[in-house]
Amino acid sequence: MFSEREDLHRFYPSAQGYRDNASKQWVTHLHQLQVVLFHRGQVAAQPRKLMPSWKPPMDLPPRMLAVAQKWLAARKLTDAPSTVDKLELAVRVFGVWLGENHPEITTFADVTREHCLGWIGHIAQAPTERTGKPLGVMSRIQRISGLSQFFRDTAVWQYADVPGHTLIGTGDAPKYPQKVPRFIPDHELDKLMPAIEALACPFQRAALLVARWPGARRTEIQRLPIDCLDRYPDGTSRLRLSGRKTYRERVVPLHEDAATALQTVIDLRKNAPERPFTDERTGEEVRYLFMSHRKLLSTYYLFETPIQDACKAAGLVRPGGRGGAGRGTVSAHRFRHTVGTQLAERGAKLHTIMKVLGHTSVSMALVYAQVSDQEVLHGYRAVLGPGAMIAGPAAEELRTGALPDTSIDWLKTNFLKTELELGRCLRLPAEGPCECDLYLTCAKFVTTPDYAPRLRTRRRVEQTLALDAAERGWDREVERHRCTSQRIEKLLADLNEPLDGPDESPEVDRFELSLQAPGRPGDPGFQRGAP
């Protein structure tokens, strides 16, 4: 046999390595044959590629093994395979620890909270075989959450040989620090996007452009159907995304760059002769868009490989990578962070961010509803920076430095939280909460030219209300609205802003990334990377 040749080391590191590789190749070639026969109509069932399992069988006492297998079988009926794998891993590592430290335990009914806490302490300190370091915070949270769900489910389902109640909960898991979304700065986007548009493969180019503009998840893009693209009545491109993670299909506007690249792939694939695949989530027959040689393209090919090539072409690399050639600083998932951050900074409604990114809860979307360092700096300079154009009763105090240093320090960190409709309140904490509704005349109110469109809009509203009150004979209401209008005119004059300039545009609840970047590269007014 080839594995017994003396020169085997010239081709493979070991005989076992050759046998493992040959086993994987055999599975791959068999799957390719099944795919061909399936599309020819000679095999009825859709082929599944089942690679050799890396997992050893669970080594638990018989009574514990029976309960674990029964629970995992129930979870497979509703959970995704990747979720079941994580749950199985949690029970597996807990069972291994019990066998090494408490061999007298042969049933889950004998497990106590003290045992669970001992295991939690162990996984926080013990080095792993792969890295030689303890598990990271997220891995520990997944293990603890999986074991907690095991005890909770088996108690509710009244299994035998279990404690019958929850032994640990979310409070026993470490807290995961909430990080700021890693959006891609504009200067990096300016370098990266031309490199992406220069990719030779139309599949990779379309996949990355769809990731860039609507911020879709990679698996959602990978499983786009051929009929995923159409248009709104006003002509804006529209993309239909399947709900891979959330089980909720959604439709989002699509930038024309991405729509053009996607249409190129659709034209290549629309006459493909393969049979449709059955979607594992919905059970419907679907003709997927990103397929080659009648097989679904992997996320590694669609995203990881081309984004690395684009980063290296754009010079966005850091030390490391294979052979020390460097590794790209941008991942495909960072496009999703970029879209969420840009939407939030440009004033999109929270439910718009949720709809575009496919979030199911407000807390998920709030992660992106943060302002970047540049926006914080701009807002700070607008009110407290040297030479800032400000108006309002408190403006003179800021210009002359009449406020004490402690007040200035407080304002530097808190003034972003005090934004009102037409400006900001500079009331200090020692003064208590503001009870004044007429904040336009409040001694702590200031405003900047950024609010001029709102001021003009509010002035016209007050003038309209004054006319309406005059027609009804409400003299006091006429006086009130006219006084407010005059105060706004004084603020606009102090800001050197015209009374009849543009009003604040009404907020359009449409994906702004698709509407605000006009044209294609080379067109007048085109700004690459700008939403």
Side-chain angles (χ1 to χ4, degrees):
M1 297 177 62
F2 186 79
S3 61
E4 299 175 355
R5 292 175 59 96
E6 295 181 356
D7 59 350
L8 179 68
H9 66 277
R10 295 177 179 268
F11 307 96
Y12 296 94
S14 64
Q16 185 60 42
Y18 160 72
R19 285 190 286 267
D20 292 342
N21 187 67
S23 175
K24 292 181 179 179
Q25 288 181 345
W26 181 84
V27 172
T28 299
H29 294 159
L30 178 61
H31 176 257
Q32 291 175 339
L33 175 61
Q34 291 174 332
V35 168
V36 171
L37 295 178
F38 171 75
H39 289 300
R40 286 171 56 92
Q42 295 176 260
V43 173
Q46 180 177 328
R48 303 290 182 180
K49 187 175 182 180
L50 302 175
M51 297 298 291
S53 176
W54 57 268
K55 298 181 297 184
M58 282 197 295
D59 186 14
L60 297 174
R63 295 171 66 181
M64 299 176 71
L65 181 61
V67 173
Q69 290 178 338
K70 181 180 179 181
W71 174 67
L72 290 172
R75 294 261 46 109
K76 288 180 181 178
L77 299 176
T78 55
D79 291 346
S82 59
T83 302
V84 177
D85 288 340
K86 294 175 183 178
L87 296 176
E88 179 184 351
L89 182 59
V91 177
R92 177 195 302 276
V93 296
F94 179 67
V96 170
W97 181 83
L98 280 179
E100 295 175 350
N101 296 272
H102 300 280
E104 72 280 2
I105 295 180
T106 59
T107 173
F108 283 112
D110 297 333
V111 176
T112 64
R113 175 170 170 80
E114 285 68 29
H115 293 137
C116 296
L117 295 179
W119 170 70
I120 292 174
H122 167 76
I123 63 175
Q125 301 176 0
T128 61
E129 181 179 352
R130 180 179 178 183
T131 64
K133 300 178 181 180
L135 286 174
V137 174
M138 183 57 70
S139 296
R140 286 156 52 199
I141 292 175
Q142 290 178 348
R143 304 284 197 282
I144 296 169
S145 175
L147 187 64
S148 174
Q149 185 172 353
F150 168 76
F151 288 124
R152 183 169 61 252
D153 288 345
T154 55
V156 173
W157 299 340
Q158 298 182 353
Y159 281 14
D161 291 334
V162 296
H165 57 275
T166 302
L167 298 180
I168 54 176
T170 55
D172 297 307
K175 305 301 183 210
Y176 189 74
Q178 187 67 60
K179 297 181 179 180
V180 175
R182 294 190 61 220
F183 64 93
I184 306 172
D186 288 342
H187 69 277
E188 292 188 8
L189 277 175
D190 292 340
K191 297 178 181 178
L192 186 62
M193 296 310 296
I196 290 177
E197 292 181 352
L199 290 171
C201 177
F203 293 93
Q204 293 176 332
R205 183 170 61 253
L208 286 179
L209 286 174
V210 173
R212 160 63 185 104
W213 289 110
R217 300 179 180 93
R218 286 167 292 180
T219 54
E220 293 174 340
I221 300 173
Q222 178 199 26
R223 294 180 178 269
L224 284 174
I226 287 183
D227 59 349
C228 62
L229 185 64
D230 60 5
R231 292 186 178 273
Y232 288 98
D234 65 358
T236 303
S237 297
R238 178 170 57 184
L239 180 66
R240 178 165 58 91
L241 293 166
S242 61
R244 299 300 303 170
K245 183 177 181 179
T246 61
Y247 294 86
R248 293 183 180 181
E249 188 179 68
R250 68 186 189 278
V251 177
V252 296
L254 186 64
H255 190 276
E256 284 304 313
D257 279 0
T260 301
L262 205 58
Q263 186 62 52
T264 300
V265 178
I266 292 174
D267 293 339
L268 291 173
R269 292 272 302 118
K270 62 182 179 181
N271 295 322
E274 78 271 355
R275 295 171 61 186
F277 284 169
T278 301
D279 187 87
E280 59 190 28
R281 296 286 177 88
T282 64
E284 299 177 351
E285 291 189 343
V286 181
R287 290 189 62 206
Y288 291 116
L289 179 61
F290 290 102
M291 293 184 65
S292 180
H293 296 91
R294 304 186 181 185
K295 294 192 301 182
L296 195 65
L297 293 172
S298 67
T299 56
Y300 183 83
Y301 176 81
L302 291 174
F303 300 102
E304 278 72 14
T305 298
I307 197 66
Q308 288 297 315
D309 294 341
C311 285
K312 292 176 182 178
L316 302 175
V317 294
R318 60 175 181 268
R322 294 184 179 179
R327 181 166 182 81
T329 60
V330 177
S331 65
H333 191 71
R334 288 186 63 187
F335 286 130
R336 183 171 172 83
H337 288 193
T338 302
V339 171
T341 302
Q342 289 179 333
L343 280 173
E345 288 182 352
R346 285 156 177 78
K349 294 180 180 179
L350 195 58
H351 75 82
T352 300
I353 300 176
M354 293 176 61
K355 180 67 178 296
V356 171
L357 298 181
H359 289 153
T360 56
S361 67
V362 174
S363 60
M364 298 171 66
L366 283 175
V367 175
Y368 297 94
Q370 304 182 41
V371 292
S372 66
D373 294 339
Q374 291 82 0
E375 292 296 319
V376 173
L377 181 62
H378 172 74
Y380 164 73
R381 286 177 175 172
V383 177
L384 300 177
M389 179 70 71
I390 55 177
E396 190 61 28
E397 290 182 325
L398 289 177
R399 292 193 190 98
T400 60
L403 291 176
D405 292 341
T406 54
S407 298
I408 295 295
D409 291 339
W410 184 87
L411 292 173
K412 286 180 178 179
T413 56
N414 291 276
F415 83 96
L416 283 175
K417 304 175 184 177
T418 63
E419 184 174 14
L420 303 171
E421 177 193 4
L422 305 177
R424 298 186 184 278
C425 176
L426 300 186
R427 192 176 183 86
L428 302 178
E431 300 175 87
C434 182
E435 300 176 356
C436 180
D437 291 333
L438 299 177
Y439 61 85
L440 287 172
T441 58
C442 176
K444 302 299 181 181
F445 172 77
V446 296
T447 189
T448 70
D450 291 341
Y451 292 89
R454 295 189 187 182
L455 289 165
R456 283 189 283 265
T457 301
R458 176 66 181 274
R459 173 177 171 269
R460 291 175 180 170
V461 169
E462 294 295 336
Q463 290 177 336
T464 301
L465 292 175
L467 292 175
D468 180 72
E471 293 177 358
R472 300 173 185 269
W474 298 343
D475 295 337
R476 294 300 300 273
E477 286 296 302
V478 172
E479 180 183 1
R480 183 170 69 88
H481 291 305
R482 286 180 177 174
C483 286
T484 303
S485 176
Q486 292 170 359
R487 285 196 293 270
I488 294 175
E489 292 172 2
K490 177 64 168 56
L491 291 173
L492 289 170
D494 291 344
L495 295 173
N496 294 324
E497 289 286 338
L499 298 180
D500 298 322
D503 290 2
E504 181 185 34
S505 299
E507 183 176 4
V508 179
D509 191 14
R510 174 69 63 85
F511 189 21
E512 297 179 358
L513 296 177
S514 302
L515 301 179
Q516 294 185 4
R520 309 249 325 143
D523 292 345
F526 178 82
Q527 295 181 351
R528 187 179 306 283

